[in-house]
């Protein structure tokens, strides 16, 4: 059954679009394409005559800035990845496509780009620029912050589906997912909103006291850069170990940008639907979702991470693919409903 969108939801969604436009206009000043860069005091560094022993000062004193073409490539790949996942959840409905996007994103945005630029950390840059008029946000950072939010408003959390390297590294280690209690999900999920509030609080402080805690406590960037403190690497290993049975613990309970996406995706115009046409209400999709994102036999847009795992377990989808016959669909649905009634009766 399709529930008509309420007028208040559309009103809120339109206000979210207006906020996005305000952020773009407020931060895209003529200087916004240039971030404030740290100038290394090369002249104050020890010189060859001070060191002696035939020492020569290296010609390159700092890493050259990334070229405009490479920044454009980052944005193009971001948009392409989200577009592919949006196509899968709306039309293609094949899990293997999202798996391929996940692996490619992990290789490029994770290990090649070393987890930067990412929308999660960009939240702090945008907050700091809004609070401090002397700070500027590079356009690539602004794009990475806004584009996944716009996509979430249109089709849901497709950035989380496989483009985000932090989500991707957790997705590849998910081996035997278990269903966590909904009460636990609700209370543990509140942590990411507290984390988001703390990150914004530290980002909007004056420059001398400002701290980007999301980047400083990123649990997976140490893997991407092959460095990091022992305790942060240990924290990342612990999350990945938990992630073998609990689907994406960082995304669901800790990710501050995930909190923003959860809020925006509630008002998605074309959210993920488990079946391509008519819902069967058989409940076979529930156990297939490792993120507890199916409530009352419908995908919750705020929790659905667009992983497409439920499609393969839907009898109507299997019928559309030609994998089963109509009589098999009716048998599967009848058995599933009977099993669910027995389970509800025992509960």
């Amino acid at each position: 059954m399709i529930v008509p969108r309420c007028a208040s939801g559309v009103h809120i969604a339109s206000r979210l679009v207006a906020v996005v436009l305000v952020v773009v206009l407020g931060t895209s000043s003529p200087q916004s394409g240039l971030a404030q860069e740290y100038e290394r005091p090369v002249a104050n560094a020890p010189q060859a005559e001070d060191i002696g022993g035939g020492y020569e000062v290296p010609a390159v004193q700092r890493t050259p800035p990334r070229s405009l073409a490479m920044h454009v490539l980052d944005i193009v790949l971001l948009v392409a990845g989200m577009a592919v996942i949006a196509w899968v959840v709306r039309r293609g409905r094949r899990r293997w496509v999202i798996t391929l996007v996940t692996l490619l994103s992990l290789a490029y945005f994770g290990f090649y780009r070393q987890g930067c630029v990412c929308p999660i950390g960009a939240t702090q840059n945008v907050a700091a620029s809004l609070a401090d008029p002397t700070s500027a946000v590079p356009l690539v950072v602004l794009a990475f912050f806004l584009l996944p939010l716009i996509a979430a408003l249109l089709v849901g959390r497709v950035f989380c589906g496989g483009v985000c390297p932090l989500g991707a590294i957790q997705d590849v280690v998910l081996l035997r997912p278990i269903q966590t209690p909904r009460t636990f999900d609700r209370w543990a999920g509140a942590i990411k909103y507290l984390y988001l509030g703390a990150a914004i609080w530290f980002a909007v402080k004056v420059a001398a006291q400002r701290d980007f805690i999301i980047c400083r406590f990123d649990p997976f960037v140490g893997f991407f850069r092959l460095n990091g403190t022992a305790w942060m690497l240990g924290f990342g290993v612990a999350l990945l170990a938990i992630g073998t049975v609990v689907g994406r613990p960082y995304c669901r309970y800790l990710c501050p940008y995930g909190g923003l996406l959860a809020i925006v995706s509630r008002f998605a115009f074309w959210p993920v639907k488990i079946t391509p046409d008519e819902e069967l209400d058989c409940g076979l999709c529930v156990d297939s979702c490792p993120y507890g994102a199916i409530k009352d036999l419908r995908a919750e847009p705020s929790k659905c991470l667009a992983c497409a795992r439920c499609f393969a377990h839907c009898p109507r989808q299997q019928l559309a693919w030609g994998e089963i016959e109509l009589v098999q669909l009716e048998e599967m649905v009848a058995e599933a409903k009977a099993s669910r009634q027995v389970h509800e009766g025992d509960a």
Side-chain angles (χ1 to χ4, degrees), residues 70-82 109 144 147:
M70 296 305 294
H71 282 312
V72 172
L73 177 62
D74 290 344
I75 296 176
V76 168
L77 292 178
L78 169 69
V79 173
M82 293 192 298
F109 290 114
F144 265 74
L147 289 174

Side-chain angles (χ1 to χ4, degrees), residues 44-64:
N44 296 331
Q47 301 301 307
E49 56 272 19
D50 300 324
I51 298 175
Y55 176 80
E56 296 182 1
V57 178
V60 178
Q61 293 291 324
R62 63 180 181 183
T63 303

Side-chain angles (χ1 to χ4, degrees), residues 66-345:
R66 191 171 175 83
S67 68
L68 177 61
M70 296 305 294
H71 282 312
V72 172
L73 177 62
D74 290 344
I75 296 176
V76 168
L77 292 178
L78 169 69
V79 173
M82 293 192 298
V84 169
I85 293 178
W87 172 79
V88 169
V89 299
R90 296 297 302 175
R91 290 288 184 269
R93 312 183 73 82
R94 293 289 187 175
R95 164 68 186 167
W96 71 266
V97 179
I98 291 184
T99 300
L100 179 60
V101 174
T102 297
L103 295 176
L104 293 175
S105 296
L106 180 59
Y108 183 80
F109 290 114
F111 291 101
Y112 176 70
R113 291 292 283 117
Q114 299 183 331
C116 186
V117 176
C118 73
I120 304 172
T123 305
Q124 304 162 124
N125 299 79
V126 173
S129 68
L130 292 175
D132 184 358
T134 65
S135 297
V137 181
L139 290 178
V140 64
V141 175
L142 188 61
F144 265 74
F145 174 75
L146 291 178
L147 289 174
L149 292 174
I150 295 173
L153 185 60
L154 295 176
V155 291
R157 299 175 61 172
V158 291
F159 173 74
C160 302
V163 183
C164 176
L166 275 67
I169 195 173
Q170 296 172 86
D171 200 62
V172 297
V173 301
L174 182 59
L175 302 177
R176 299 180 63 87
I178 61 174
Q179 296 291 328
T180 52
R182 297 193 70 87
T183 301
F184 174 81
D185 282 346
R186 183 170 63 254
W187 287 103
I191 299 175
K192 60 180 175 287
Y193 297 105
L194 297 176
Y195 192 8
L196 174 63
I200 294 176
W201 170 260
F202 283 105
V204 300
K205 287 180 173 292
V206 295
Q209 302 175 1
R210 188 172 300 153
D211 191 2
F212 285 4
I213 62 173
I214 295 177
C215 298
R216 194 148 63 88
F217 298 113
D218 188 305
F220 304 122
V221 72
F223 298 123
F224 298 147
R225 299 179 182 179
L226 303 179
N227 62 14
T229 61
W231 77 272
M232 282 306 304
L233 289 173
F235 180 45
V237 169
L239 284 175
L240 292 178
I242 296 172
T244 60
V245 292
V246 177
R248 298 198 193 185
Y250 180 81
C251 298
R252 294 164 66 185
Y253 308 130
L254 297 176
C255 179
Y257 191 71
L260 287 177
L261 291 173
I263 294 172
V264 175
S265 61
R266 290 177 182 271
F267 311 103
F269 290 97
W270 302 286
V272 174
K273 288 185 61 178
I274 299 171
T275 56
D277 43 31
E278 181 183 354
E279 302 282 358
L280 295 175
D281 292 344
C282 61
L284 288 173
C285 57
V286 177
D287 292 336
S288 69
C289 179
Y291 310 123
I294 299 177
K295 182 180 180 181
D296 298 330
L297 307 182
R298 300 293 185 274
E300 290 188 87
S302 63
K303 294 183 178 180
C304 177
L305 301 185
C307 71
R309 285 181 171 89
C310 58
F311 296 161
H313 292 76
C314 175
R316 187 171 294 279
Q317 185 65 72
Q318 294 175 23
L319 179 66
W321 288 335
E323 295 179 352
I324 62 173
E325 302 293 335
L326 181 60
V327 63
Q328 294 175 286
L329 178 144
E330 296 172 348
E331 293 174 354
M332 291 173 64
V333 171
E335 292 177 0
K337 287 185 176 180
S339 176
R340 185 155 54 89
Q341 289 175 354
V342 171
H343 178 74
E344 292 174 352

